[in-house]
Amino acid sequence: VLRSISAAQPLVAIERTNPVDDTRRAEKIAERFSLDPDEVLGGGVVVFASDRRSKAVALLDMVDTAREGERGVVSAFYAEARFVGAIREVARERSAVACFTRGHGEADIRSELHRAVELVRDEGTRVREVDLAELPNECTVLVCAGLRFALSGREQTTVAAFLARGGGLVVLLRPPRILAGVAEPIGLETVLGLLGIGLGLDVVVDPIAGGDASSWPTRWGYGEHPVVAGFAGRRITLWRDARQVFVAPARDADSEIIVAASALGRAQGASVIDRANGAPARGPAPPGRDASVDVAAAAHHGSWNARVVVLGSLASFVDETVDTPGLANGALWLAALSWAGEPTPTLGLPPKTPAQFRVLMSAAQLRWVFVLTVLGIPGLAALCGSLFLWRRSRKDGPRRRR
């Protein structure tokens, strides 16, 4: 497939490396793209790079699998679509601009989110801080990272207008501050509701890993959304003090959960902030609520062509977590920002369906195959060799007597 692409477009150059011969480079690639080193060494990976942008397509990203009886088979092969999509993504000319809001107690992008911001810049996306009173036209995606104080009515209108003209929005949440059973608003509840995303009153805890249940990993708790494509079973993300999110029907909007806790997860009352002394205390979960264990959601508004991703845990994307080896929080952050801000167009290339040939045999037939391959064929070879040596010795005998 790569040779065909390179032949059709000479600007595409191919460099081959055997991961077995260069394990150090393979391990660096695995770390850079949050892949399992064994997956890179065993199946290989194709890395597309142009200027400062790069994207990896591993073997498991190219196929769909299905089960037939007790074995797995490849049901679809997407190499062409994945490769062409990756080339278009890294070679795009228009540079995305991620605009981080300020003035509402957001996380500092120079300290708390320094590594997350560096990852964004490494992908060729420009980063700037903005005041919602004067939102620049160059912004392609707006990032609200840990709002402590609510947006004003005018600022809420600015965000809604930005989305209505096709902008993207990524929201990182802190645990809610609950007073008298009511969460203090952050000013985005109404606009998120228009896209079918709601914010819960609780945090999600999960004892799956033991220890502190408010900090839990997931390997399988991903949806089928493009933001988390290729994550299930292959990438681990860590969720700390994650606020509940949920989805609901909304006019002209499609929303879906992209990350959830395990079956052991549960909703738990969020920290209550005592305004008198600022000391946190545990409060009970509000009664009569659905115990949602979802912590991230994505939505697309058809009329606006706006895309929104809500990640329920700011703490999951601060420097300490993003820098932890073996975690894919950085990859999830980049995927969310990319999908919301400058999505790759759908190519419409259909997958190939590999031909699967099945041979069905009974137990008796399997025994005959074993006898034939293990005893019969080697025995026949030995007989032929003995016959050849016998005939040769008979021919050589008379010559010696002469």
Side-chain angles (χ1 to χ4, degrees):
V1 175
L2 288 173
R3 283 196 298 267
S4 300
I5 293 175
S6 180
Q9 175 51 269
L11 293 177
V12 176
I14 301 175
E15 177 186 348
R16 292 178 175 83
T17 300
N18 188 336
V20 177
D21 296 335
D22 194 350
T23 56
R24 187 174 181 181
R25 185 177 185 184
E27 290 170 355
K28 286 185 177 180
I29 291 174
E31 181 180 359
R32 167 66 181 82
F33 296 102
S34 301
L35 294 169
D36 188 329
D38 291 337
E39 181 180 341
V40 176
L41 290 170
V45 63
V46 181
V47 177
F48 297 87
S50 176
D51 195 15
R52 296 179 64 184
R53 297 188 181 96
S54 60
K55 184 175 180 63
V57 180
L59 178 63
L60 293 179
D61 295 322
M62 307 178 204
V63 299
D64 279 343
T65 58
R67 292 201 66 81
E68 285 192 3
E70 297 182 356
R71 67 191 185 98
V73 297
V74 175
S75 58
F77 188 60
Y78 295 91
E80 288 120 337
R82 298 290 187 267
F83 289 174
V84 175
I87 291 172
R88 293 185 66 170
E89 185 170 339
V90 301
R92 64 192 179 201
E93 294 183 2
R94 179 172 177 258
S95 176
V97 180
C99 295
F100 286 71
T101 62
R102 61 187 175 189
H104 313 88
E106 293 93 337
D108 191 341
I109 67 172
R110 296 170 186 82
S111 55
E112 295 175 87
L113 295 176
H114 174 73
R115 279 294 297 136
V117 169
E118 286 303 306
L119 289 176
V120 174
R121 289 191 171 119
D122 288 344
E123 291 296 303
T125 299
R126 290 192 290 132
V127 173
R128 61 176 298 181
E129 288 184 292
V130 297
D131 296 312
L132 287 175
E134 298 179 1
L135 187 62
N137 291 328
E138 67 175 351
C139 296
T140 56
V141 59
L142 193 64
V143 181
C144 298
L147 299 172
R148 290 186 184 275
F149 310 109
L151 306 184
S152 67
R154 181 180 177 183
E155 290 172 330
Q156 295 177 43
T157 302
T158 299
V159 173
F162 174 73
L163 293 175
R165 62 175 185 263
L169 174 65
V170 175
V171 182
L172 304 177
L173 299 173
R174 299 181 189 270
R177 297 196 292 181
I178 309 295
L179 292 173
V182 178
E184 288 194 344
I186 61 173
L188 291 173
E189 289 82 358
T190 299
V191 69
L192 292 178
L194 294 175
L195 285 101
I197 298 179
L199 308 182
L201 300 180
D202 306 327
V203 294
V204 174
V205 296
D206 192 340
I208 188 170
D212 183 6
S214 65
S215 179
W216 47 271
T218 185
R219 182 190 289 268
W220 293 98
Y222 307 106
E224 298 181 355
H225 193 272
V227 171
V228 288
F231 273 70
R234 299 169 58 201
R235 293 177 172 93
I236 298 174
T237 53
L238 182 69
W239 295 86
R240 301 167 53 203
D241 300 323
R243 183 175 180 175
Q244 288 174 295
V245 302
F246 59 88
V247 296
R251 183 179 178 182
D252 205 19
D254 296 317
S255 58
E256 60 183 281
I257 294 299
I258 59 175
V259 184
S262 75
L264 300 176
R266 67 184 188 278
Q268 181 170 298
S271 295
V272 179
I273 303 300
D274 184 350
R275 289 180 181 274
N277 55 30
R282 299 304 298 177
R289 294 206 67 237
D290 240 344
S292 167
V293 293
D294 306 320
V295 294
H300 174 253
H301 195 285
S303 300
W304 298 350
N305 195 28
R307 299 185 178 219
V308 173
V309 180
V310 177
L311 302 171
S313 170
L314 169 67
S316 298
F317 301 94
V318 297
D319 291 356
E320 177 186 349
T321 312
V322 170
D323 279 337
T324 302
L327 294 181
N329 291 58
L332 178 59
W333 157 250
L334 289 177
L337 209 65
S338 175
W339 183 82
E342 197 169 5
T344 303
T346 303
L347 301 175
L349 294 176
K352 295 184 180 296
T353 303
Q356 304 286 344
F357 299 99
R358 302 180 61 189
V359 179
L360 301 177
M361 292 185 291
S362 65
Q365 290 171 328
L366 284 173
R367 284 195 297 271
W368 276 111
V369 169
F370 175 80
V371 170
L372 181 63
T373 55
V374 176
L375 300 176
I377 295 177
L380 181 60
L383 179 61
C384 291
S386 300
L387 182 60
F388 173 78
L389 292 175
W390 177 74
R391 293 190 62 182
R392 185 172 180 178
S393 64
R394 290 197 60 185
K395 289 181 179 179
D396 291 345
R399 293 177 186 170
R400 290 197 187 102
R401 288 195 294 267
R402 293 175 189 170

